[in-house]
Amino acid sequence: MSEIRICGYRPLSGEINVQGSKNGVLPMLAASLLQRGTMRFTNVPIIQDVACMVGILESVGCRCWFGRNVLSVDASGILGTEIPKADVKKMRSSILVMGALLGRMGKAGAWYPGGCSIGSRPVDLHLLAFSGLGACVKEEDGRIEAWGRMEGGRILFPFPSVGATENALLASVMAAGETEICGAAKEPEVIGLCSLLRQMGALIEGDGTDRIRIKGGRELHETEYAVPGDRIAAGTYLTAVTAAGGDAVLWGAPWESMETVIRSLRGCGADIEPIIGVGGTVAGAHIRMEGRPKPARIRTGPYPEFPTDLQSPMLSVLSLAEGESVLTETVFEARFKTAGELVKMGADISVSGNQAMIRGRERLSGTRVRAWDLRGGAALVAAGLAASGETVIEDCIHIERGYEDICRDFQFLGGDICWSA
Ligand code: UD1
């Protein structure tokens, strides 16, 4: 069982490079299946979820090469249409391979997906997208099958699900005719997938709004693509500095997609400024924080609202705030498990339904805690770096799903943190 040990209560100062986006690269890897050549991705994060996606691609017949954040996927010889059960259970995004396989092979089978234990996370909207394109869908004994010739259609989502929008895109670019996705998610990762698909030859308009239009049925071709920086990993580091104090530079933080997070952390007292690079583009973010955070009222929601993935890290910040805060979770129903761990560290948090009331304490104290999920684990790292004494986080395997090496990154910022088993 992998553990992280932290001796906290010291400011974080230094510079780090932000890894490529986990949630961005996973649908892009699934998109590799839609062409018959070799895709080349750069700035790919070396994390468990990418390894799992590579395993799935190989299991259906792709050949993959991974070296130093560059991943090539040769999808010329796909034969399989079934996503292995073990992989689907490990990672929810494996369901994205279904849309792509359905598009390429006319058939796809999978088991109900797993992933973090943060709520029920059904896949009904994914299946609604497939049937909206004319595919037949069968659900039986925990298995899902979809097959048939797809044609452009109108898909109407009652909730802007990120994964279902991505699956709808992956399937509809191969469906002949025009498709309209209404109620689409506007997340930067959806825009990233559309931009990759366009570079592969697809005709897509309207991404970044709730209505995406696709002219499908075109032959797509191989391309090379640089995965953008991970806004959630960058946000995790910003919350850690806001909690522990310090002065840090995050190179490659995707500033444009972090507006709500930056505004919220500025509200807590952090001084965060963009670093302007060559040609006037933003090359990163510079954060300075002194003293205790100010309290806040934060509500998670679909983009551009505050990301649910940073709700737990924000809980760590607000546990140390000078006053009372309220955090409302509107996306996933069971995402406050980390609150119980923070309470073990001395936080004063009461959860009622989808709301957490946080009465900030002057100090948290290190103790033994458990990472229940990926972002909850990262939140405990942020709390441990701010807390006095030693924090030991158990079950850090969840953290490895999404962060290349969270200990290495915080060591660069002067943190006394290491993997211990
Ligand atoms: C993606 C992100 C995840 C993030 C989430 C919300 C990836 C790999 N993961 O997950 O990090 O927390 O977006 O920003 O990109 N829902 C349904 N039926 C469905 C699909 C979803 O009811 O078929 C519900 C879910 O239970 C949840 C809500 O919709 O309550 C949001 O889920 P969704 O946007 O689909 O999240 P994911 O794509 O799984």
Side-chain angles (χ1 to χ4, degrees):
M1 203 163 64
S2 81
E3 288 185 354
I4 289 178
R5 277 174 192 272
I6 307 168
C7 282
Y9 206 54
R10 59 174 74 188
L12 297 167
S13 296
E15 302 187 8
I16 47 171
N17 290 319
V18 174
Q19 68 183 52
S21 165
K22 167 181 103 67
N23 290 353
V25 74
L26 294 172
M28 290 181 186
L29 291 177
S32 302
L33 294 169
L34 300 175
Q35 53 79 51
R36 291 168 197 278
T38 300
M39 300 283 285
R40 190 165 180 273
F41 298 98
T42 57
N43 199 33
V44 177
I46 305 172
I47 51 174
Q48 285 302 325
D49 275 12
V50 166
C52 181
M53 188 56 105
V54 166
I56 296 172
L57 296 180
E58 286 176 339
S59 75
V60 295
C62 294
R63 290 191 304 151
C64 303
W65 299 268
F66 206 169
R68 297 198 64 175
N69 301 99
V70 178
L71 177 58
S72 300
V73 182
D74 170 1
S76 56
I78 299 180
L79 296 170
T81 58
E82 180 72 29
I83 308 166
K85 186 172 184 177
D87 292 322
V88 191
K89 295 285 171 202
K90 247 188 268 164
M91 181 183 71
R92 182 176 163 83
S93 320
S94 47
I95 193 84
L96 294 174
V97 175
M98 260 195 105
L101 277 178
L102 190 57
R104 167 93 182 254
M105 310 292 284
K107 192 177 165 198
W111 295 80
Y112 271 98
C116 282
S117 58
I118 56 177
S120 65
R121 307 186 86 177
V123 291
D124 53 326
L125 302 179
H126 297 247
L127 304 185
L128 178 129
F130 300 154
S131 39
L133 296 169
C136 302
V137 175
K138 190 168 95 179
E139 293 175 81
E140 209 169 62
D141 300 331
R143 251 190 69 76
I144 315 163
E145 264 176 52
W147 70 96
R149 222 181 92 79
M150 291 187 294
E151 275 180 19
R154 187 159 185 271
I155 300 167
L156 180 58
F157 288 130
F159 178 86
S161 155
V162 178
T165 302
E166 291 166 345
N167 236 335
L169 281 160
L170 291 164
S172 62
V173 285
M174 302 305 268
E178 288 191 24
T179 295
E180 189 182 25
I181 306 174
C182 300
K186 301 178 203 156
E187 263 68 2
E189 293 75 20
V190 171
I191 300 177
L193 175 62
C194 289
S195 128
L196 169 74
L197 290 168
R198 271 193 292 267
Q199 207 172 296
M200 293 166 72
L203 296 177
I204 304 173
E205 282 177 358
D207 41 309
T209 75
D210 59 4
R211 194 167 146 262
I212 305 180
R213 296 168 305 282
I214 304 110
K215 281 197 180 123
R218 287 164 65 92
E219 174 95 14
L220 302 188
H221 54 78
E222 64 186 19
T223 192
E224 178 167 330
Y225 202 85
V227 178
D230 193 315
R231 66 188 173 105
I232 305 299
T236 305
Y237 299 138
L238 291 180
T239 56
V241 176
T242 308
D247 183 337
V249 169
L250 310 181
W251 295 109
W255 184 267
E256 293 78 9
S257 59
M258 295 181 66
E259 200 187 317
T260 313
V261 172
I262 288 167
R263 196 180 337 115
S264 304
L265 292 174
R266 279 178 174 161
C268 290
D271 173 10
I272 310 174
E273 292 301 330
I275 301 171
I276 307 301
V278 199
T281 54
V282 181
H286 183 186
I287 174 168
R288 275 173 296 214
M289 178 72 187
E290 270 178 35
R292 284 175 67 188
K294 293 188 178 68
R297 293 184 82 87
I298 290 173
R299 190 183 174 86
T300 67
Y303 191 84
E305 292 175 55
F306 192 90
T308 172
D309 285 349
L310 288 175
Q311 180 254 100
S312 300
M314 201 64 200
L315 213 48
S316 301
V317 172
L318 299 178
S319 294
L320 288 158
E322 274 181 304
E324 267 187 27
S325 303
V326 180
L327 233 171
T328 309
E329 170 62 57
T330 74
V331 182
F332 290 109
E333 75 270 27
R335 216 170 193 183
F336 279 126
K337 267 189 175 165
T338 303
E341 303 303 308
L342 289 170
V343 167
K344 290 183 197 162
M345 297 176 74
D348 183 349
I349 306 173
S350 37
V351 175
S352 164
N354 70 339
Q355 233 175 34
M357 280 276 302
I358 309 117
R359 284 160 292 272
R361 305 292 288 263
E362 197 168 347
R363 207 180 272 201
L364 296 179
S365 312
T367 187
R368 188 167 271 275
V369 285
R370 179 170 173 197
W372 287 98
D373 59 67
L374 165 57
R375 305 303 173 183
L380 294 174
V381 171
L385 289 161
S388 57
E390 189 183 63
T391 300
V392 178
I393 309 172
E394 295 173 357
D395 243 356
C396 290
I397 188 133
H398 294 294
I399 300 178
E400 293 172 80
R401 284 191 41 216
Y403 295 84
E404 270 198 357
D405 189 343
I406 204 165
C407 292
R408 171 200 67 192
D409 288 344
F410 282 119
Q411 282 162 6
F412 279 137
L413 297 183
D416 185 349
I417 173 171
C418 62
W419 294 99
S420 78

